[in-house]
Amino acid sequence: MSRLFLKAENYNGKTVISDSFFTAPIKIAKPFYCDNYTEVMMMTASAGILEGDFYDIEIHATENTSLRLTGQSYTKIFRATEKGAFQKIKITVEKNASFIYFPMPVIPYGGSIFSSFTEIYLNEICRFAICDIISCGRKAMNEEFMFKSYRSRIAVYVDGKMKYLDNQKLIPEEINLSDTGFFEGYSSLGMLYVYGYENIVLPESKTCEIAVTKAFSGNCIRIFSNSADEILKQLKLILSQIS
């Protein structure tokens, strides 16, 4: 099991990493201290996620902090035989804190099995954003929707009550994922959930289909495209306008 723990605190008006530890293959780069927030980049010494890997990640943004967690490169999920790989993420955002979790897109290789479960606990007075981008696989290697199983569950709780749930369970052998209701004929799908942000303006794009849905609390933006890079670009543009 590989574990990452980060705790951010406000120190004289500046967000600092007050506590952290990690175990291989996960590691973090030295924090970038920007004017209005602190950014941490999560890296891995492995070429990708292998069968049997278990990533346990916990992030805690305490009161009056502003933190961003990003990834170094695309997440590659390698072929598996039986159990695949597993990831568990717990995020806590306290009062008047801001946290953006922006991992890079996921590429599930042919025959891969992956499950990710994310639980987010927000104070009613905070700001939060999380993105989740998945491609159909290695398109250039003719591995479109050749993975065995991909599961991503994101649950958001505000003051202890569930307010948003995004639950994807994609099994190509059971259904045509390129069809209506899934990838809609595109090769990549992106989701951005935001809480505590107002005045969301969707960018115009000739290469993406973009839509926003008002959730019980917060908003969910979904993007379809034939390029995960283009989805990444559009989501960053949306975040730059609201954060």
Side-chain angles (χ1 to χ4, degrees), residues 91 118-123 126 128-130 153-166 191 193-195 217-218:
I91 296 171
T118 304
E119 290 192 339
I120 299 137
Y121 299 91
L122 306 179
N123 182 277
C126 78
F128 172 76
I130 184 172
R153 185 181 187 274
I154 299 173
V156 178
Y157 300 84
V158 179
D159 288 345
K161 297 181 180 180
M162 181 183 286
K163 298 295 185 177
Y164 177 77
L165 177 65
D166 186 80
M191 183 279 294
Y193 172 79
V194 296
Y195 176 86
S217 292

Coordinates of all heavy atoms in Angstrom, one line a residue, residues 91 118-123 126 128-130 153-166 191 193-195 217-218:
I91 N -10.9 13.6 1.5 CA -10.6 15.1 1.5 C -11.5 15.8 2.5 O -12.7 15.6 2.5 CB -10.8 15.7 0.1 CG1 -9.9 15.0 -0.9 CG2 -10.7 17.2 0.1 CD1 -10.2 15.4 -2.4
T118 N -13.7 8.1 -3.7 CA -13.3 9.4 -3.2 C -14.4 9.9 -2.3 O -15.6 10.0 -2.7 CB -13.0 10.4 -4.3 OG1 -12.0 9.9 -5.1 CG2 -12.6 11.8 -3.7
E119 N -14.1 10.3 -1.0 CA -15.1 10.9 -0.1 C -14.6 12.3 0.3 O -13.4 12.4 0.7 CB -15.3 10.0 1.1 CG -16.0 8.7 0.8 CD -16.4 8.0 2.1 OE1 -15.8 8.2 3.1 OE2 -17.4 7.2 2.0
I120 N -15.5 13.2 0.1 CA -15.1 14.6 0.4 C -16.0 15.2 1.4 O -17.3 15.1 1.3 CB -15.2 15.4 -0.9 CG1 -14.3 14.9 -2.0 CG2 -15.0 16.9 -0.7 CD1 -14.9 14.8 -3.4
Y121 N -15.4 15.8 2.5 CA -16.2 16.3 3.6 C -15.9 17.9 3.6 O -14.8 18.3 3.9 CB -15.8 15.7 4.9 CG -16.0 14.2 4.9 CD1 -15.1 13.3 4.5 CD2 -17.3 13.7 5.3 CE1 -15.3 11.9 4.5 CE2 -17.5 12.3 5.3 CZ -16.6 11.5 4.9 OH -16.8 10.1 4.8
L122 N -17.0 18.6 3.3 CA -16.9 20.1 3.2 C -17.6 20.8 4.3 O -18.7 20.3 4.8 CB -17.5 20.5 1.9 CG -16.9 19.9 0.6 CD1 -17.7 20.5 -0.6 CD2 -15.4 20.1 0.5
N123 N -17.1 21.9 4.8 CA -17.8 22.8 5.6 C -18.7 23.6 4.7 O -18.4 23.8 3.5 CB -16.9 23.7 6.3 CG -17.6 24.7 7.3 OD1 -18.1 25.8 6.8 ND2 -17.7 24.4 8.5
C126 N -17.1 27.1 2.4 CA -15.8 26.8 1.8 C -15.9 26.8 0.3 O -17.0 26.9 -0.2 CB -15.2 25.4 2.4 SG -16.0 24.0 1.6
F128 N -14.6 24.5 -3.2 CA -13.9 23.2 -3.5 C -14.2 22.9 -5.0 O -15.2 23.2 -5.5 CB -14.5 22.1 -2.6 CG -14.1 20.7 -3.0 CD1 -12.8 20.3 -2.7 CD2 -15.0 19.9 -3.8 CE1 -12.4 19.0 -3.1 CE2 -14.6 18.6 -4.2 CZ -13.3 18.2 -3.8
A129 N -13.2 22.2 -5.6 CA -13.4 21.8 -7.0 C -12.6 20.5 -7.2 O -11.5 20.3 -6.6 CB -12.9 22.8 -8.0
I130 N -13.1 19.6 -7.9 CA -12.5 18.3 -8.2 C -12.8 17.9 -9.7 O -13.9 18.1 -10.2 CB -12.9 17.2 -7.3 CG1 -12.1 15.9 -7.6 CG2 -14.4 16.9 -7.4 CD1 -12.4 14.8 -6.6
R153 N -16.0 6.5 -8.0 CA -17.1 7.0 -7.2 C -16.6 8.2 -6.4 O -15.7 8.1 -5.6 CB -17.6 5.9 -6.2 CG -18.8 6.2 -5.4 CD -19.2 5.1 -4.5 NE -20.4 5.3 -3.8 CZ -20.6 6.0 -2.6 NH1 -19.5 6.5 -2.1 NH2 -21.8 6.1 -2.1
I154 N -17.3 9.3 -6.6 CA -17.0 10.5 -5.9 C -18.2 11.0 -5.1 O -19.3 11.3 -5.7 CB -16.6 11.6 -6.9 CG1 -15.3 11.2 -7.6 CG2 -16.3 13.0 -6.1 CD1 -14.9 12.2 -8.7
A155 N -18.1 11.0 -3.8 CA -19.2 11.4 -2.9 C -18.8 12.7 -2.1 O -17.7 12.7 -1.5 CB -19.6 10.3 -1.9
V156 N -19.7 13.7 -2.2 CA -19.5 14.9 -1.5 C -20.5 15.1 -0.3 O -21.7 15.0 -0.5 CB -19.6 16.1 -2.5 CG1 -19.3 17.4 -1.8 CG2 -18.6 15.9 -3.6
Y157 N -19.9 15.4 0.9 CA -20.7 15.6 2.0 C -20.5 17.1 2.5 O -19.4 17.5 2.6 CB -20.4 14.7 3.2 CG -20.5 13.2 2.8 CD1 -19.6 12.5 2.2 CD2 -21.7 12.5 3.2 CE1 -19.7 11.1 1.9 CE2 -21.9 11.2 2.9 CZ -20.9 10.5 2.3 OH -21.0 9.2 2.0
V158 N -21.6 17.8 2.8 CA -21.5 19.1 3.3 C -22.1 19.1 4.7 O -23.3 18.7 4.9 CB -22.3 20.1 2.4 CG1 -22.2 21.5 3.0 CG2 -21.7 20.1 1.0
D159 N -21.3 19.4 5.7 CA -21.7 19.4 7.1 C -22.3 18.0 7.4 O -23.3 17.9 8.1 CB -22.7 20.5 7.4 CG -22.0 21.9 7.4 OD1 -20.7 21.9 7.5 OD2 -22.7 22.9 7.4
G160 N -21.7 17.0 6.9 CA -22.1 15.6 7.2 C -23.2 15.0 6.4 O -23.5 13.8 6.6
K161 N -23.8 15.8 5.5 CA -24.9 15.3 4.7 C -24.5 15.1 3.3 O -23.9 16.1 2.7 CB -26.1 16.2 4.8 CG -26.7 16.2 6.2 CD -27.9 17.1 6.3 CE -28.5 17.2 7.7 NZ -29.7 18.1 7.7
M162 N -24.7 14.0 2.6 CA -24.4 13.8 1.2 C -25.1 14.8 0.3 O -26.4 14.8 0.4 CB -24.6 12.4 0.8 CG -24.2 12.1 -0.7 SD -24.5 10.5 -1.3 CE -23.2 9.5 -0.5
K163 N -24.4 15.5 -0.5 CA -25.0 16.5 -1.4 C -24.8 16.2 -2.8 O -25.4 16.7 -3.7 CB -24.5 17.9 -1.0 CG -24.8 18.4 0.4 CD -26.3 18.6 0.6 CE -26.6 19.2 1.9 NZ -28.0 19.4 2.1
Y164 N -23.8 15.4 -3.1 CA -23.5 15.1 -4.5 C -22.8 13.7 -4.6 O -22.0 13.3 -3.8 CB -22.5 16.1 -5.1 CG -22.1 15.8 -6.5 CD1 -23.0 16.0 -7.6 CD2 -20.8 15.3 -6.8 CE1 -22.6 15.7 -8.9 CE2 -20.4 15.0 -8.1 CZ -21.3 15.2 -9.2 OH -20.9 14.9 -10.4
L165 N -23.2 12.9 -5.7 CA -22.6 11.6 -5.9 C -22.4 11.4 -7.4 O -23.4 11.5 -8.2 CB -23.5 10.5 -5.3 CG -23.1 9.1 -5.5 CD1 -21.8 8.8 -4.8 CD2 -24.1 8.1 -5.1
D166 N -21.2 11.1 -7.8 CA -20.9 10.8 -9.1 C -20.3 9.3 -9.1 O -19.3 9.1 -8.6 CB -19.9 11.7 -9.7 CG -19.6 11.5 -11.2 OD1 -20.4 11.9 -12.0 OD2 -18.6 10.8 -11.5
M191 N -15.2 15.4 -16.1 CA -16.1 15.9 -15.1 C -15.5 16.9 -14.2 O -14.3 16.7 -13.7 CB -16.7 14.7 -14.3 CG -17.8 15.1 -13.3 SD -17.3 15.8 -11.7 CE -16.4 14.4 -11.0
Y193 N -16.6 19.0 -10.7 CA -17.6 19.4 -9.7 C -17.0 20.6 -8.9 O -15.9 20.6 -8.5 CB -17.9 18.2 -8.8 CG -18.8 18.7 -7.6 CD1 -20.2 18.8 -7.8 CD2 -18.2 18.9 -6.3 CE1 -21.0 19.2 -6.7 CE2 -19.0 19.3 -5.3 CZ -20.4 19.5 -5.5 OH -21.2 19.9 -4.4
V194 N -17.9 21.6 -8.8 CA -17.4 22.8 -8.0 C -18.5 23.1 -7.0 O -19.7 23.0 -7.2 CB -17.2 24.0 -9.0 CG1 -16.1 23.7 -9.9 CG2 -18.5 24.4 -9.7
Y195 N -18.0 23.6 -5.8 CA -18.8 23.9 -4.7 C -18.3 25.3 -4.2 O -17.1 25.5 -4.0 CB -18.8 22.9 -3.6 CG -19.6 23.3 -2.3 CD1 -20.9 23.0 -2.2 CD2 -19.0 24.0 -1.3 CE1 -21.7 23.4 -1.1 CE2 -19.7 24.4 -0.2 CZ -21.0 24.1 -0.1 OH -21.7 24.5 1.0
S217 N -26.2 20.7 -4.2 CA -25.3 21.7 -3.8 C -24.1 21.7 -4.7 O -23.5 20.7 -5.0 CB -24.8 21.4 -2.4 OG -25.8 21.5 -1.4
G218 N -23.8 22.9 -5.3 CA -22.7 23.0 -6.3 C -23.2 22.7 -7.7 O -24.4 22.6 -8.0

